[in-house]
Amino acid sequence: MPDTEAIRQTIANAEKHQNDLEEFVDLHTADALIVNIAGRRVLGRDAIREAMAQALATPLAKVLTKTEIVDIRFTTPDVALVSCVKQVFDEREESGGLPARGSLTYVVAREGDDWKIASAQTTPVLS
């Protein structure tokens, strides 16, 4: 299914551009919602850009993630839930105690020919 491959590419691009402010932000809908592994909620593309710019100016830029897609389910032809496992690599000198793994759920929505991230929620896996 071509949509599945396009969605996989959007998620791969989110991983690839996790430290590239504009490329990362452009992968999201205007009203996107992100809840990160530490529980911080950020609403809207402008707020995502601001939060990410702040984080990239700190040692948080050394926290990198790798995402493995487990499942893609379409709720409508233009919306899908993407279940993932997120691996967290904290390369900071003084780690902030982030979990090494999380369950990541994306909601992606079709915008024209592209799939954009409308929501991303990471739940820490503590065991």
Side-chain angles (χ1 to χ4, degrees):
M1 173 180 266
D3 288 332
T4 301
E5 287 309 309
I7 290 168
R8 287 182 180 281
Q9 188 60 56
T10 296
I11 303 309
N13 287 342
E15 179 181 312
K16 176 182 176 183
H17 298 299
Q18 62 188 292
N19 280 347
D20 183 335
L21 181 63
E22 292 308 320
E23 291 286 340
F24 182 80
V25 172
D26 286 346
L27 294 169
H28 294 76
T29 62
D31 59 349
L33 160 69
I34 293 177
V35 180
N36 71 13
I37 200 164
R40 182 173 181 194
R41 183 180 315 271
V42 184
L43 303 167
R45 193 183 296 152
D46 291 339
I48 293 167
R49 179 180 287 106
E50 182 179 325
M52 188 173 172
Q54 289 173 0
L56 289 175
T58 72
L60 283 173
K62 293 183 177 184
V63 178
L64 300 176
T65 63
K66 180 158 179 47
T67 304
E68 175 191 346
I69 295 174
V70 175
D71 185 59
I72 299 174
R73 295 180 187 242
F74 289 87
T75 60
T76 72
D78 295 328
V79 176
L81 296 172
V82 185
S83 297
C84 306
V85 174
K86 177 186 267 190
Q87 298 293 328
V88 179
F89 303 95
D90 192 342
E91 302 296 325
R92 296 176 291 175
E93 288 182 26
E94 291 187 31
S95 174
L98 292 175
R101 240 171 50 121
S103 292
L104 169 59
T105 302
Y106 285 109
V107 176
V108 294
R110 186 190 318 265
E111 287 190 354
D113 291 334
D114 297 324
W115 285 89
K116 300 283 186 171
I117 298 167
S119 177
Q121 163 85 43
T122 304
T123 302
V125 174
L126 302 176
S127 58

